Amino acid sequence: ETKSITLGGLKIRYGYISQRGYYPDDQMKANQDSYSITTNFTKNRNDALFAVYDGHGRYGDKCAQFSRDHLPNLIARHVKRIRNEKSKKRNSNTPPEDIVLRKEAIQSACATAHKQCNLAMHASQSLDDALSGTTAISCYVHGQRNRITVCNVGDSRAVLGQRIVRKSDGDGIDGETNNGIISATANANGSTNNGSNIGGEVYYKALPLSRDQTPYRRDERKRIRAHGGRILSLDQIEGLEPVSTEENDDDD
């Protein structure tokens, strides 16, 4: 089942499903995945927030659920705060929720919200995140600006499907003649193209919107060590493999 919404000039169709994986050694293991979908985000009918959380560790399911319950509200709180500040400076009759923020302001609000959610999880008495945690990947869709702000912590991924129509010139020679975004694209007259195209082949090209934040990245290893952290494998943590004091960043 899918749902359809209109965000400004964007017509979006979305669906969701979460299913527990199969673990032969732990058949009762909880589903550690979670997600959140918030339409009318920050009381703006043109905005929506889509997010996925993938927990890990013994209490990964609790960490993912904690982020699901808190992160969207924290992002909304900081976006509203910035809008209210701008509304007061402008001294206009425009409702704060209708004020369109620059991308830098949105990014600042999202970064602050993620940091606060992380600190709140550490302080929570309802879960132990010492050896557990969660990823968080979100797409904040701004329909009025036809813009998406992507936030990423960890190695969950956001991928955009770019609609490509390949038409034939009649002599058997193909050429890409039309590009669109996602499964339905809005035309100038407000109608939509649902993917059908007479005389042409329609396919979708995957475009990555995020980059994994893991120690496999050289810049992430440097960031961790710069903050006093250490990078160890599970075998090293459990004492099954010696811990090297050398730091080799020659490979990604």
Side-chain angles (χ1 to χ4, degrees), residues 54 70 93 107 114 130 152 162 179 209 233 237 247:
D54 181 4
H70 292 81
N93 295 325
Q107 291 169 1
H114 279 73
N152 180 46
Q162 182 183 26
N179 288 340
L209 297 182
S233 68
I237 293 175
E247 297 180 0

Side-chain angles (χ1 to χ4, degrees), residues 19-240:
Q19 182 173 331
R20 183 175 69 88
Y22 175 68
Y23 300 88
D25 297 332
D26 188 3
Q27 298 188 20
M28 299 303 294
K29 185 175 181 178
N31 183 355
Q32 294 189 310
D33 300 335
S34 193
Y35 64 89
S36 61
I37 298 172
T38 313
T39 56
N40 198 32
F41 192 58
T42 68
K43 295 184 179 180
N44 189 315
R45 63 187 181 279
N46 296 313
D47 290 359
L49 181 73
F50 303 87
V52 170
Y53 317 92
D54 181 4
H56 51 266
R58 183 175 181 180
Y59 302 107
D61 56 325
K62 302 296 183 183
C63 293
Q65 292 164 14
F66 185 95
S67 296
R68 174 200 65 195
D69 295 340
H70 292 81
L71 184 58
N73 293 333
L74 286 170
I75 295 176
R77 180 189 305 173
H78 287 288
V79 170
K80 289 178 181 178
R81 173 181 56 81
I82 296 175
R83 281 178 175 157
N84 287 334
E85 292 173 355
K86 290 188 177 296
S87 178
K88 291 179 181 178
K89 289 181 180 179
R90 294 179 181 180
N91 194 25
S92 66
N93 295 325
T94 303
E97 58 269 19
D98 290 338
I99 293 178
V100 179
L101 299 178
R102 296 174 62 88
K103 63 180 182 181
E104 293 81 8
I106 294 291
Q107 291 169 1
S108 176
C110 290
T112 301
H114 279 73
K115 293 175 183 177
Q116 289 189 349
C117 187
N118 189 48
L119 292 174
M121 185 182 297
H122 291 333
S124 175
Q125 300 297 316
S126 63
L127 58 86
D128 179 5
D129 67 342
L131 295 176
S132 301
T134 183
T135 69
I137 183 80
S138 63
C139 290
Y140 184 173
V141 182
H142 317 278
Q144 195 169 346
R145 281 288 187 92
N146 289 349
R147 187 175 69 199
I148 301 176
T149 298
V150 179
C151 303
N152 180 46
V153 178
D155 59 357
S156 293
R157 296 176 179 177
V159 180
L160 180 72
Q162 182 183 26
R163 181 176 176 274
I164 306 293
V165 178
R166 186 186 296 273
K167 289 186 177 181
S168 173
D169 64 359
D171 296 324
I173 301 176
D174 293 337
E176 295 179 0
T177 58
N178 182 31
N179 288 340
I181 300 299
I182 317 233
S183 60
T185 56
N187 297 325
N189 60 5
S191 63
T192 61
N193 187 330
N194 61 11
S196 63
N197 190 76
I198 299 176
E201 175 191 0
V202 178
Y203 66 96
Y204 289 86
K205 180 180 180 181
L207 301 176
L209 297 182
S210 62
R211 185 182 178 200
D212 293 356
Q213 183 199 14
T214 73
Y216 291 108
R217 278 172 43 182
R218 183 184 303 173
D219 61 335
E220 179 63 9
R221 293 196 297 272
K222 290 182 177 180
R223 186 194 68 83
I224 292 171
R225 289 172 178 141
H227 286 78
R230 302 177 69 191
I231 301 172
L232 303 173
S233 68
L234 183 59
D235 286 345
Q236 288 175 323
I237 293 175
E238 295 180 348
L240 302 178

